[in-house]
Amino acid sequence: LVAGLVLWHYQVVESPEALVGQVATVVWLVLFTAACWGAGWPLWRALGGERAPAAPEAWVVVLATGAWILALWATLLGLAGVLHTFLLVVPLLALAVVGALLLRRSGPRPRLAWMGREPIPALFVIAAAVITLLVLRAPSPHYDQLHYHLAFPFHWLRDGRLVVFDRHAYSLLPANMGALYTYALALLGPWAAQAVHWWMGAVAVGGVYGLGRRLGGPRAGLWAAALLATTSSVMATSVWAGSDLGVTAFAVAAWAVVVTARRRPDSRSGWWVLAGALVGAAVGCKYQAGLTVAIPLFAVLLVLPGRRLVRATLTGIGSAAAF
């Protein structure tokens, strides 16, 4: 009742723009999620994935793969010199429609009944999500965002191609998150790009939950997700248009593919190539991911029993190609 009264009188002192903005943020996140699902689901199915993925880490693989495909499309347009709004927005909206239809017909069926048995970590995750979502539209003064994470995509869209600045070394790497931000800048604006980085963080948290649940059950998964979601640096960067949570999401997805492939006795070679592609996508967001993502994952591949060399070679090919 009190909340209703506050909202009713809110219009007396301020326009409803802020409230409408919150709704617009949620709509954009839903649209982007559907587009990533529409782009990633066909590849998931081609590799033999379930028609309706049930495990949270499977959702993360589909969504992260879709995000990488969108980034790849924008990069190819930039290399071809035809990075125009029409060629970005139309495929994005078409994939969103396809993704929405796929989710409706054979989408994931989350099972969240156990959240009532472990409310504390679940509340931590929800609180972190709500707190950051509420301030997501605020203009960010973050140096990296202003000087290259959004500055580069702005110039790419203005010139219709990838641009290299002679005195800016970072422009030599057309980072994958910058490629994703072209969709946001072409359609809506900087706040939408910040929302994409927040979305990447949400995907990473979901993947950590899935992997933790597989290792130690729902309780372990929830606490693992809560630890990541409430880490101060994660919450701070989630409201910027940066690259760090893109690295995190692609890395978690790569580990999820490894776990998925290991659990399938008839797993195809494509799973290892996809794991490598997601590693390459992470390094393509930020080169330090070579140390934090690529080396640990390849070390594990060489330790796991089985066809070590074949596995590592396929993953390496995927990584190199994606990067």
Side-chain angles (χ1 to χ4, degrees):
L1 180 61
V2 172
L5 289 173
V6 170
L7 291 175
W8 178 257
H9 289 286
Y10 181 81
Q11 60 185 329
V12 179
V13 295
E14 183 58 80
S15 72
E17 180 182 354
L19 298 176
V20 173
Q22 295 295 337
V23 175
T25 301
V26 173
V27 171
W28 163 242
L29 289 171
V30 170
L31 186 148
F32 188 77
T33 301
C36 289
W37 192 271
W41 189 85
L43 182 56
W44 165 266
R45 286 289 294 153
L47 293 176
E50 302 89 348
R51 182 176 178 82
E57 62 270 24
W59 314 344
V60 168
V61 172
V62 175
L63 292 173
T65 301
W68 170 62
I69 291 173
L70 288 177
L72 178 61
W73 174 247
T75 303
L76 292 175
L77 291 177
L79 289 171
V82 289
L83 187 61
H84 303 310
T85 298
F86 178 82
L87 294 178
L88 286 169
V89 173
V90 172
L92 181 73
L93 295 178
L95 284 172
V97 172
V98 172
L101 293 174
L102 290 172
L103 284 167
R104 181 180 180 184
R105 293 177 182 176
S106 57
R109 300 293 184 266
R111 302 181 183 90
L112 303 178
W114 40 262
M115 286 182 64
R117 298 194 295 271
E118 292 293 339
I120 295 178
L123 288 175
F124 275 131
V125 174
I126 294 171
V130 171
I131 290 170
T132 52
L133 188 62
L134 288 175
V135 298
L136 193 56
R137 288 181 61 88
S140 172
H142 183 49
Y143 177 92
D144 294 3
Q145 171 173 323
L146 296 175
H147 284 259
Y148 45 93
H149 289 312
L150 290 190
F152 292 165
F154 169 80
H155 287 289
W156 299 344
L157 286 168
R158 187 186 66 174
D159 294 348
R161 61 183 179 86
L162 300 182
V163 180
V164 175
F165 299 94
D166 294 337
R167 299 187 181 184
H168 209 315
Y170 285 127
S171 68
L172 295 171
L173 175 65
N176 287 325
M177 290 306 295
L180 282 178
Y181 295 152
T182 57
Y183 294 93
L185 294 179
L187 188 61
L188 296 168
W191 65 266
Q194 294 172 190
V196 169
H197 198 235
W198 183 94
W199 183 89
M200 282 291 192
V203 168
V205 170
V208 166
Y209 161 71
L211 293 175
R213 188 189 70 150
R214 192 169 291 283
L215 289 170
R219 185 170 186 269
L222 270 175
W223 277 109
L227 287 170
L228 178 61
T230 57
T231 298
S232 57
S233 57
V234 173
M235 292 185 69
T237 58
S238 68
V239 297
W240 303 339
S243 62
D244 303 278
L245 296 183
V247 171
T248 312
F250 287 129
V252 171
W255 283 107
V257 173
V258 170
V259 171
T260 301
R262 284 286 298 166
R263 289 175 58 85
R264 295 171 179 268
D266 59 340
S267 60
R268 305 176 184 178
S269 300
W271 287 109
W272 302 111
V273 177
L274 177 59
L278 291 167
V279 170
V283 182
C285 289
K286 197 168 187 175
Y287 59 84
Q288 292 95 325
L291 297 175
T292 60
V293 180
I295 290 179
L297 189 135
F298 277 96
V300 168
L301 290 180
L302 292 173
V303 170
L304 289 173
R307 302 161 63 192
R308 295 182 178 90
L309 188 58
V310 172
R311 208 164 43 208
T313 300
L314 291 171
T315 307
I317 291 172
S319 298
F323 179 73

